[in-house]
Amino acid sequence: MTVDQIPYTHWAYFTDRPAAEACARELAARFDCLTAIDPAASGPDPWLLRAARTVDLNAPGGWHDEIEEVVQHHGGRYDGGEATMFVPPVNPSD
């Protein structure tokens, strides 16, 4: 990860788990996302898909559009995302 990149997690909701799983596979293959599917805490859609990846700070428009397109293709509802905290590992020899 360079200075111009940050870890970012996208959120999407689905009415059925198989659609969420298909979306997760495509996001992993196309965008190298690390994905997780869990029951949603609330709302009309019972499944939450989180897709984490590294995004480039110089291309903020591309953070969402390409992911939202895939989510919608699989029948999901894209709900944005959030930057996640990244703390470099401690070097034990320091």
Side-chain angles (χ1 to χ4, degrees):
M1 188 176 319
T2 69
V3 176
D4 292 342
Q5 297 177 327
I6 60 169
Y8 195 84
T9 301
H10 300 274
W11 300 73
Y13 293 90
F14 289 83
T15 56
D16 75 64
R17 187 173 177 112
E21 291 170 347
C23 183
R25 285 190 299 273
E26 184 172 347
L27 292 174
R30 288 184 57 189
F31 303 108
D32 197 27
C33 290
L34 176 62
T35 62
I37 300 167
D38 296 296
S42 64
D45 300 318
W47 297 104
L48 167 64
L49 165 62
R50 289 172 289 146
R53 67 178 180 153
T54 301
V55 296
D56 187 336
L57 290 171
N58 296 317
W63 294 5
H64 300 277
D65 297 347
E66 61 195 9
I67 301 298
E68 183 173 22
E69 180 182 316
V70 173
V71 168
Q72 289 177 348
H73 173 76
H74 290 280
R77 179 176 55 87
Y78 184 70
D79 195 27
E82 65 183 353
T84 52
M85 176 72 121
F86 177 75
V87 179
V90 176
N91 186 344
S93 64
D94 289 343

